[in-house]
Amino acid sequence: MWNNPFDRRKFLVAMAGLGSLLTSPSCKSEEKGKPISYSETPDPISFAPIENVRIGFVGLGVRGSNHIRKLLDIAGCQIVCVCDIVPEKVKRIQQSAIDKGFPEPKGYSRDEVDYKRMCENEDFDLLITATPWELHAPICIEGMKNGKHTATEVPGCTTVDACWELVEASEKYRKHCILLENYCYFQEILAIDNMIRKGLFGNPLHVYAGYQKEAMYYQVTSSGELTFSGEGHNNSYGNVYPTHHAGPSAKWMDINRGDNFDYLVSMGCGNVAFNQYSRERFGPDHPLSTRKFNMADISNTMIMTKEGRTLHLILDTILPRPGRHYFRLQAERGIYENIERRLHIHNLSPGKYTGLEENPYANKRMWESLDTYLDEHDHPVWKKFHKPDLREAGHAGADFVIMRKLVNGFNLGAYPDIDVYDLAAWSCLVELTEKSARNGSQPVKIPDFTRGKWKTRKPLPIVI
Ligand SMILES: NC(=O)c1ccc[n+]([C@@H]2O[C@H](COP(=O)([O-])OP(=O)(O)OC[C@H]3O[C@@H](n4cnc5c(N)ncnc54)[C@H](O)[C@@H]3O)[C@@H](O)[C@H]2O)c1
């Protein structure tokens, strides 16, 4: 049986999926709602398991270095080549690999397009990019063209055209293009996902999801210049960084696997943040203190799905505020709020709806802590890796999960749980929110990048 790589792949994928399901806690809640079940994927891009994933990495800045640090500790992979326009960054990573006992990765830092030479010259399996936003698509396309699977930091790209180019390249070259959306792997996001799949919440109807933390350090350098993120913000009325919150929400709602984004309306407000920040930090005469910005400080978007669900998406990262990100799910049979780590599930949580028979204004329903449910409903991924080092890994452990999962998926030959269609559906919001907000909040259609396949594609388990 193992002489045939296809049989072996099918077996490993099946066992991996089954493993995930088998480690799920038993579902005594099935009678409380219709469970949504995972199933084997009929998706087209398949590959044999890769025992040792050979990785080429482009973009060795803050994020890239963090990823590489983890990859050097994860079994089943090897960094074989690295690229950055800054030669010192290449040298530093080469030394880190040597220090960990690996052969020196080949370095590329000749010019802005040296990643092309790396893709053409080097033999490797997976290209990862953590460069500024506009480079993600060209780098991934170059990788796929040269026979590599690809994975990119967020957002996957910033225009609808680039989304289609990535989808078409993935289909044409039959290579994956994975979005490294770490917010999909937070412990509580996955626990709620697990509870949705078990039917505890019933149909997930509405999500409020806000990236609401002050991140001016990411927009303006200490010497007073706009970073690539600041450049992205500084002429947009839309949501320039949508995937952190669209991603987990889309997962809960089975977008591209049973549902599909349909259209959106967006509006932006405020235009003071950059001037205000610059005046205080760099003084009234600094160019950023006086420049008239053609942008919004806060982006608000409502998305309607084809199955009638709604998503309220917010980007609010440049005004003064304590940092938080927000997720609130309202489903047919219950509600979850991440801020207080609390939930209420109809006929399961304490308290009841008393309005009809007693006082019409009374509602004795009570909140419960999410922690009450974690023992039973924590996601198998988190059960497996719930260790102290996970907590130290950045983004509350999600940065470890995403890299471990990425490598393991290739080791097993498993279809990725965030594929190019997810990348496109979440990343196209950069352009489309801007378009609606600039145009009096006119509704804007969201392309169906699956070309109708969302109706038959099934939710996938996370293989780890
Ligand atoms: N998922 C998350 O939580 C998270 C957090 C931070 C950043 N990010 C994303 O990671 C990406 C990188 O962000 P960062 O903070 O590391 O930025 P950074 O500026 O620290 O790193 C970018 C690197 O890309 C290199 N680079 C630029 N042009 C290049 C080219 N043509 N060829 C090769 N290398 C090139 C730069 O020299 C730099 O080293 C961005 O897309 C960002 O949105 C994601």
Side-chain angles (χ1 to χ4, degrees):
M1 179 184 186
W2 303 129
N3 292 336
N4 178 342
F6 181 63
D7 282 341
R8 180 173 155 75
R9 182 192 66 77
K10 277 208 308 197
F11 175 80
L12 284 168
V13 171
M15 290 314 287
L18 206 60
S20 252
L21 295 177
L22 290 176
T23 49
S24 300
S26 67
C27 180
K28 69 177 183 192
S29 57
E30 285 195 1
E31 67 277 10
K32 299 206 177 294
K34 191 166 165 281
I36 305 169
S37 60
Y38 291 125
S39 72
E40 285 307 307
T41 173
D43 288 293
I45 302 172
S46 55
F47 55 95
I50 304 169
E51 202 179 319
N52 184 38
V53 188
R54 293 162 306 159
I55 296 172
F57 209 111
V58 190
L60 311 174
V62 178
R63 191 73 181 149
S65 308
N66 276 335
H67 285 324
I68 288 182
R69 215 169 296 132
K70 284 178 195 68
L71 289 168
L72 290 173
D73 281 334
I74 290 174
C77 69
Q78 185 186 339
I79 313 279
V80 296
C81 47
V82 289
C83 171
D84 197 292
I85 42 170
V86 181
E88 293 72 38
K89 294 187 181 182
V90 169
K91 286 199 190 90
R92 206 186 55 225
I93 296 295
Q94 285 174 317
Q95 190 56 50
S96 307
I98 292 167
D99 292 346
K100 287 276 178 182
F102 290 101
E104 181 179 74
K106 194 89 184 283
Y108 287 82
S109 57
R110 202 182 270 177
D111 56 28
E112 303 245 316
V113 288
D114 217 19
Y115 62 84
K116 292 189 182 186
R117 204 167 56 94
M118 182 175 99
C119 290
E120 282 161 13
N121 287 357
E122 301 295 330
D123 186 18
F124 60 98
D125 307 299
L126 171 65
L127 176 77
I128 305 180
T129 173
T131 49
W133 304 340
E134 273 73 19
L135 290 169
H136 294 170
I139 290 172
C140 288
I141 289 168
E142 193 64 25
M144 290 186 274
K145 205 168 97 186
N146 283 283
K148 329 294 186 201
H149 294 292
T150 55
T152 171
E153 259 304 337
V154 298
C157 54
T158 56
T159 66
V160 174
D161 282 352
C163 288
W164 277 118
E165 283 166 25
L166 286 168
V167 165
E168 282 161 13
S170 174
E171 291 174 346
K172 179 174 173 189
Y173 301 113
R174 307 192 75 73
K175 292 291 162 192
H176 283 298
C177 184
I178 297 167
L179 187 68
L180 296 171
E181 185 38 86
N182 49 338
Y183 278 46
C184 289
Y185 305 108
F186 280 136
Q187 182 180 27
E188 52 198 80
I189 294 292
L190 285 178
I192 296 301
D193 191 79
N194 206 19
M195 291 167 75
I196 291 172
R197 313 260 150 233
K198 294 174 178 189
L200 268 81
F201 283 103
N203 186 8
L205 291 173
H206 175 76
V207 179
Y208 172 99
Y211 195 23
Q212 293 171 275
K213 69 166 196 182
E214 188 178 7
M216 261 305 182
Y217 65 90
Y218 209 64
Q219 322 303 330
V220 183
T221 64
S222 51
S223 52
E225 284 131 19
L226 292 178
T227 63
F228 64 84
S229 178
E231 291 291 349
H233 269 85
N234 95 90
N235 52 21
S236 173
Y237 266 75
N239 188 327
V240 294
Y241 210 58
T243 68
H244 276 346
H245 289 73
S249 311
K251 283 287 172 194
W252 287 346
M253 293 177 170
D254 283 338
I255 299 302
N256 289 338
R257 295 183 175 279
D259 199 352
N260 197 228
F261 287 151
D262 192 3
Y263 65 90
L264 62 79
V265 293
S266 191
M267 53 189 78
C269 68
N271 186 357
V272 298
F274 279 110
N275 291 149
Q276 176 176 273
Y277 178 81
S278 175
R279 269 198 308 271
E280 284 175 23
R281 178 106 200 254
F282 305 112
D285 299 327
H286 189 277
L288 293 183
S289 306
T290 49
R291 178 164 144 196
K292 288 226 167 316
F293 286 98
N294 184 14
M295 59 175 278
D297 294 334
I298 302 175
S299 160
N300 258 290
T301 301
M302 290 293 300
I303 299 178
M304 175 59 91
T305 77
K306 296 205 171 107
E307 292 294 316
R309 298 174 172 126
T310 50
L311 167 58
H312 184 174
L313 202 60
I314 307 223
L315 181 71
D316 175 9
T317 55
I318 54 178
L319 290 169
R321 56 169 301 133
R324 257 338 284 255
H325 62 90
Y326 290 73
F327 284 99
R328 184 173 64 234
L329 164 73
Q330 176 67 61
E332 238 170 30
R333 303 182 65 81
I335 183 167
Y336 158 72
E337 290 184 348
N338 79 316
I339 285 299
E340 306 280 350
R341 278 177 80 79
R342 65 186 188 179
L343 52 77
H344 178 94
I345 297 175
H346 183 52
N347 285 350
L348 193 62
S349 297
K352 59 175 184 167
Y353 181 69
T354 57
L356 293 179
E357 65 271 19
E358 295 168 18
N359 174 350
Y361 301 105
N363 182 347
K364 298 254 165 58
R365 292 184 187 276
M366 290 167 72
W367 290 103
E368 285 185 280
S369 165
L370 172 66
D371 297 327
T372 316
Y373 286 77
L374 277 186
D375 265 358
E376 187 177 353
H377 301 294
D378 205 5
H379 195 280
V381 164
W382 270 85
K383 285 202 159 161
K384 189 163 179 179
F385 292 114
H386 209 184
K387 303 188 179 91
D389 57 296
L390 193 55
R391 279 272 166 228
E392 285 161 21
H395 289 96
D399 288 355
F400 171 81
V401 174
I402 195 164
M403 282 297 119
R404 181 73 178 75
K405 192 195 68 61
L406 181 71
V407 171
N408 219 48
F410 282 99
N411 293 155
L412 291 163
Y415 193 93
D417 53 275
I418 301 181
D419 65 9
V420 72
Y421 304 104
D422 299 319
L423 178 156
W426 310 346
S427 304
C428 75
L429 302 175
V430 175
E431 179 179 333
L432 298 181
T433 53
E434 161 75 351
K435 195 168 170 187
S436 173
R438 289 265 179 203
N439 200 13
S441 304
Q442 290 288 314
V444 172
K445 263 310 228 189
I446 303 175
D448 169 15
F449 294 99
T450 73
R451 300 186 189 87
K453 288 196 222 110
W454 64 270
K455 293 176 192 156
T456 49
R457 282 161 46 106
K458 303 287 181 217
L460 281 180
I462 298 170
V463 174
I464 194 149

